[in-house]
Amino acid sequence: MSERRQRDNVSRRWLLLVGGGVGLAALINACTSQQASEPASETAAKTIPSRAATTSPSSSAAAMATTEATALPSSSSIATSAPMLCREAWGAQPARPGGTPQVPNRMTVHHSAVVLGANSNAPARIRADQRYHQDSKGWIDIAYHMGVDRNGNIYELRNPELVGDTATTYDPTGHFLVLCEGDYDQETVTEDMLNGVARACAWAAQRYSVSPDKLAGHKDFAATSCPGANLYAHIASGDIKSRIQNLVASGGGGLERACGPEAAARVAAIEAGN
Ligand SMILES: [Zn+2]
């Protein structure tokens, strides 16, 4: 089967997203790689899917595709939907062929375990994460499905209908993986980031009919401090869960896939510190 056919089979929508630019080459000790040992099962996700992910719903995919040209609202506004910066906008490398289809049935929060410092660093860090995961770990793509920075900007990462990757000892099958850029054992958590995580999870909760009760942190499944004590506290307290519930209840959990010149300008503004 050709590479093109495989991608078409997995999700035509996501095929449109993978024409991105060149990322930065840098090694980052992301939380996927904190464990010294890497079980053999980690590499099983490279198996090429043998069937199409035709069971996944497509209604919101169509909705996302039709809103690409929409002007970006403020990332801090509580609107019915928020922009999700597409892979092209943040300069992703193309996903590699393969991957194992999944339908998300829970949501798991991670941090990158590298101090972010200025939020202007976030897009470059995400590019570096992807390079590390593809080039050093040998994974098809960045391990996670959506990224969130300190200002609550949301980044489109791996196709959520493909199983993520981890170097720790849990099976990420069925997990919708959200990456928060930064080290939240050391850095403080912002309201904007919490709302960004909630929006990413609310999208997944609605798209895949996942209960907000199925929110957890990486440390709930593996021997790791990820997503950091300061962020995990908002999971353990039910804070992020209640934000997800509020978004879903108010009809405010939508994401608009943002691509094109406006989204590129948005990423440039983030990198300029705006
Ligand atoms: Zn993690």
Side-chain angles (χ1 to χ4, degrees):
M1 188 183 295
S2 71
E3 175 178 328
R4 180 62 173 264
R5 277 288 298 281
Q6 292 163 18
R7 287 180 177 168
D8 282 350
N9 284 349
V10 171
S11 172
R12 180 171 175 75
R13 166 168 57 101
W14 291 88
L15 178 62
L16 301 174
L17 316 187
V18 296
V22 177
L24 299 177
L27 296 183
I28 286 197
N29 184 26
C31 74
T32 51
S33 57
Q34 285 186 314
Q35 290 291 102
S37 62
E38 185 172 346
S41 62
E42 292 285 334
T43 57
K46 294 172 186 168
T47 306
I48 294 173
S50 59
R51 61 179 176 79
T54 52
T55 55
S56 60
S58 60
S59 57
S60 56
M64 290 170 68
T66 58
T67 55
E68 286 181 25
T70 304
L72 302 182
S74 164
S75 62
S76 61
S77 65
I78 303 301
T80 55
S81 64
M84 175 181 66
L85 297 164
C86 81
R87 294 171 62 101
E88 290 173 338
W90 59 264
Q93 300 188 119
R96 293 176 180 164
T100 302
Q102 71 168 6
V103 176
N105 56 31
R106 60 169 52 255
M107 304 170 291
T108 307
V109 178
H110 299 257
H111 71 162
S112 63
V114 176
V115 171
L116 178 61
N119 194 65
S120 57
N121 294 324
R125 291 291 177 79
I126 291 173
R127 290 192 293 270
D129 290 340
Q130 187 197 28
R131 289 292 293 261
Y132 177 63
H133 291 176
Q134 289 185 316
D135 297 346
S136 296
K137 305 300 289 183
W139 297 336
I140 59 167
D141 203 349
I142 189 168
Y144 314 101
H145 299 114
M146 271 188 208
V148 179
D149 70 20
R150 183 178 297 134
N151 292 350
N153 299 297
I154 298 172
Y155 301 79
E156 175 188 56
L157 304 182
R158 182 182 297 210
N159 179 351
E161 294 169 14
L162 292 176
V163 177
D165 275 298
T166 178
T168 60
T169 54
Y170 80 106
D171 178 359
T173 300
H175 293 238
F176 175 74
L177 304 177
V178 177
L179 168 66
C180 293
E181 266 302 335
D183 182 340
Y184 294 101
D185 278 317
Q186 299 188 56
E187 299 183 276
T188 57
V189 175
T190 65
E191 279 290 302
D192 283 343
M193 194 177 80
L194 293 170
N195 286 329
V197 171
R199 281 196 175 276
C201 291
W203 175 85
Q206 294 174 105
R207 173 96 164 86
Y208 301 108
S209 300
V210 180
S211 168
D213 291 334
K214 294 291 190 179
L215 176 73
H218 185 179
K219 67 182 291 183
D220 292 317
F221 302 100
T224 174
S225 67
C226 182
N230 298 336
L231 179 52
Y232 187 77
H234 293 269
I235 298 171
S237 70
D239 176 28
I240 297 176
K241 176 179 141 180
S242 70
R243 292 171 193 253
I244 297 169
Q245 290 171 324
N246 289 341
L247 282 167
V248 171
S250 67
L255 290 177
E256 294 176 1
R257 183 171 173 271
C259 228
E262 295 92 346
R266 176 66 185 145
V267 173
I270 294 168
E271 296 189 306
N274 299 319

